[in-house]
Amino acid sequence: MNLARHDMQPDRAPIRRLEEATANRIAAGEVVERPASAVKELVENALDAGARHVDVAIAAGGRSLIRVADDGCGIPAGELALAVERHATSKIKGGDLVDLHHFGFRGEALPSIGAVARLSITSRAQGADAAAAIEVTAGKLAPVRPAALARGTVVEVRDLFFATPARLKFLRSEMAEQRAITETLRRLALAAPATGFQLRDISDGGAGRSLMRLEPGGFDADGALRARIRAILGPQFVENAIPVAAEREGVRLSGFAALPTYSRGASVQQFLFVNGRPVEDRLLGGALRAAYADLLPRGRYPAAVLFIACEGARVDVNVHPAKAEVRFREPGLVRGLVVSALTHALAGAGHRSATTISRAALGAFRPPEAPSAAARQAAERFQAPPLPSAPGFAEALGAQSWSAPAEPAPEAAPEAEIPPLGLARAQLHETYILAQTADGVVLVDQHAAHERLVYERMKAARAEGGVPAQSLLTPEVVELPAEACSRVLEAAGELAALGLDVEPFGGRAVCVRATPAPLGPCDAAALVRDIADALQAEAGEDPLRTRLDAVISRMSCHGSVRAGRRMNAAEMNALLREMEATPFSGQCNHGRPTWVALSLADIERLFGRR
Ligand code: ADP
Ligand code: MG
């Protein structure tokens, strides 16, 4: 075939300029991928026009109809024809692509949509005494005509892609397209909290079915943003989120990041904005992931709403036709800013854990009869206590060793001295610690909590130059599958730095000479087998750091107090005190909470006393 091609005379045509309609259709392929991208362009235009209300109506997932109505500044009748012409925009002065204060600037959306659909624009410019309309059908313009409209602009897109049937084939189900439209609107609505939004499905005619309704925010911009976040991500996100604010060399980061215990099964609750523009940026997404890498297991995703702001010259928003991606001049700076700000914010949240899971757990506390209104109300309020600040316990920690408790626990203490996680009162089912706090009770999952503490101890030791090793009295020989054996031996150097000494023992065996000291006495064979698994599971993942974190996580599990082990009061209190002093102790290595709390007031409500 290739040979034949060499022999062929190319059938060369002279270079010609593309017809405008063809050029627009090509551009449409990039700008308008699916109904949601048309919605995005039209709503961005409405926001650029200063709209306070944007109403979006769709039919058949946006395939048969998208109608966006706004109360913005409108388009003068004399400019309607220009608005649908390629590369015509009112949003750039001169050639400056740096100081962009609008979503749009490429002047491509309307001509692109007009090239592949039936587009009509009706608009009444501010101060004009009449409205006008223009229609474009598959790139063909109809003359501007007078129309009726009180204010603003209504853009209607019918039969998207009817002019490019190949594109139609790529569309997903109406339901999936509708979901994508909703998602697009949610992102834009977070970017514009002052504007009210409505999304309706009018497939069945009439006023349609409301899919989303957001009131415009008030004058207080901060309050408006908070209200919008609550409306879009839900009250549980707000309850579980911590504010983030940081600046580095003129790049500012603000927003909210959820506690790791509020993680999701997908990245659906990640909203990133750069200079007010919603982006799906890899750099930022990666930085967000990195900040939580240590706190979440595989397959769990952090939830966050983050805004980056910087001078226009430091970020290029013109690298993607739909402007979903951006390019930072100083990517390292931005990544570092996001990772460190989030890490600090999360560390500041200390041993706080999510309220959400606690709520679900409360079901078990409910009385057997139909729950009373008071009990339901109590359920609503069941949550982890606010952030404690307990500097004193950090010091206490150094004296008290977890595995070798010295003094008996105090029986009772004056209220002021009760530490945030309370004083241990009982161990339940050899699995849970029940502690009395100043104003309620705390229930701790002893294994989960201890595992996290060991993990943090191991990491701290590694950061300080290496995890101390504890030599075994008799070295232990462990047989492994051939592949696992060589994987463990390849990592021997790194494992030694984690306090685990392994050597080849011929064939498929390794000899374990020492185990990590922070783990205490542990089953060396089981530990090595588990690590072989961890190394295999992470084999595809190149960064060594990620692999070692997984190894440390496995190791911690081995050093932890198992569920089922009986503990005395001193041991339990030592565990509580160490939790208070350890960052990230509110969740275990698998992202589950390590403790839950119930306040006295809530208990009283459960019993109908309040
Ligand atoms: P861009 O937004 O990049 O300028 P568009 O093709 O989306 O390009 O729109 C072209 C022009 O039409 C805009 O610059 C704006 O002047 C005008 N326009 C479009 N939609 C609206 C609207 N809803 N309200 C007011 N003006 C609009
Ligand atoms: Mg536009």
Side-chain angles (χ1 to χ4, degrees), residues 400 402 409-410 422-424 568-578:
Q400 234 160 354
W402 156 250
L423 298 171
N568 65 33
E571 286 176 310
M572 293 192 281
N573 279 306
L575 179 72
L576 296 176
R577 302 296 80 80
E578 195 177 343

Side-chain angles (χ1 to χ4, degrees), residues 7 78 419 501 568:
D7 296 338
D501 279 345
N568 65 33

Side-chain angles (χ1 to χ4, degrees), residues 41 45 48 91 104 109:
E41 295 294 337
N45 280 346
D48 283 346
K91 300 170 193 175

